[in-house]
Amino acid sequence: MLIEQPPLLYRLFFPEAFWRLKRKGGKPVVYLTFDDGPIPEVTPWVLDTLDSYGIKATFFMVGENVKRHPELLEEIKRRGHSYGNHTMHHLQGRKVSARRYLRDVAEASQLIDSTLFRPPHGLISWKQGKALKEKYNIVMYDLVTRDYSKKLNAKQVVDNVRKYARNGSIIVFHDSLKSYGNLREALPLAIEWLIEHGYEFRAINM
């Protein structure tokens, strides 16, 4: 559970970040997000799958992937999804200095014009977070599907959604080669389960 649903203590360490976006009244809502893209082997399939269900989502993109495939950013925009910065080189904040990290984020921002930011692996230092909140809405997550894990199969990924999804959950999938084996089966099944249980889907817009 420490991975799939971050504990309260960790959330309290970054009170400026958004972990969950609850809605009062009406149907429960979830926010599907996709990290680490865009790449031509996976992102177009994700977009087509979302279209087939009439769902809008949010893509947190790595700058070097956008630089290689700018047409995919444009396609994400064209299809009405929101998007955010996921650093230029998918840096882990705890492993580099604040200066280097912020420089990397700024480099990605030249390609990804968005006020939304998600740190890779959800790991940043307090100093990095304090600086980032001056320019960005820091979007963390309420549920990590672990679609990237070689220790899990697609059914177990869907089981994580079934177990931890709740009103306002920001749910993390990945449009990456590492996740694609599980994602192809798990994403449609997870969407269908959420629909059956009355959830609406929204993109994150701040």
Side-chain angles (χ1 to χ4, degrees):
M1 182 176 176
L2 292 178
I3 298 175
E4 291 85 354
Q5 200 160 66
L8 178 60
L9 183 62
Y10 188 64
R11 297 175 192 234
L12 291 175
F13 195 68
F14 297 103
E16 69 275 8
F18 295 90
W19 298 86
R20 185 180 173 197
L21 299 172
K22 291 186 288 185
R23 184 173 70 174
K24 295 181 180 179
K27 291 184 176 182
V29 61
V30 291
Y31 301 82
L32 299 186
T33 67
F34 296 86
D35 288 5
D36 298 356
I39 59 171
E41 297 89 346
V42 184
T43 306
W45 176 86
V46 171
L47 291 171
D48 288 344
T49 300
L50 295 173
D51 278 356
S52 71
Y53 291 99
I55 290 171
K56 301 304 179 189
T58 305
F59 291 78
F60 288 95
M61 297 178 289
V62 175
E64 59 184 354
N65 286 338
V66 173
K67 188 173 183 178
R68 294 189 193 104
H69 310 291
E71 73 285 355
L72 292 179
L73 169 56
E74 295 307 311
E75 187 65 9
I76 287 167
K77 293 180 184 179
R78 188 185 71 79
R79 300 208 197 186
H81 302 285
S82 62
Y83 55 93
N85 187 327
H86 200 47
T87 75
M88 188 69 189
H89 300 100
H90 202 259
L91 292 186
Q92 289 191 40
R94 299 284 180 86
K95 294 184 177 181
V96 298
S97 68
R99 179 177 293 182
R100 182 184 173 193
Y101 193 78
L102 295 172
R103 187 169 61 242
D104 201 79
V105 173
E107 184 180 354
S109 185
Q110 298 299 310
L111 299 166
I112 305 165
D113 182 21
S114 175
T115 60
L116 302 180
F117 174 78
R118 173 177 287 162
H121 306 284
L123 297 175
I124 50 174
S125 69
W126 181 86
K127 185 176 181 179
Q128 291 162 353
K130 183 179 179 181
L132 287 165
K133 73 176 182 179
E134 299 300 322
K135 293 185 178 181
Y136 301 96
N137 293 303
I138 302 173
V139 181
M140 292 292 202
Y141 41 80
D142 186 55
L143 194 171
V144 179
T145 64
R146 297 186 68 199
D147 53 348
Y148 56 81
S149 177
K150 293 182 179 179
K151 296 180 180 179
L152 301 184
N153 57 37
K155 180 183 180 300
Q156 291 170 309
V157 171
V158 177
D159 285 344
N160 282 335
V161 175
R162 291 171 174 162
K163 184 174 182 179
Y164 296 108
R166 54 185 175 171
N167 183 27
S169 284
I170 299 171
I171 302 175
V172 180
F173 287 96
H174 298 78
D175 53 330
S176 66
L177 288 174
K178 189 175 181 179
S179 299
Y180 196 35
N182 280 332
L183 190 68
R184 284 185 65 92
E185 182 179 349
L187 181 59
L189 291 175
I191 289 172
E192 289 168 11
W193 184 89
L194 289 163
I195 291 171
E196 289 170 5
H197 286 76
Y199 286 94
E200 291 184 354
F201 300 81
R202 290 191 178 184
I204 299 171
N205 291 290
M206 296 175 179

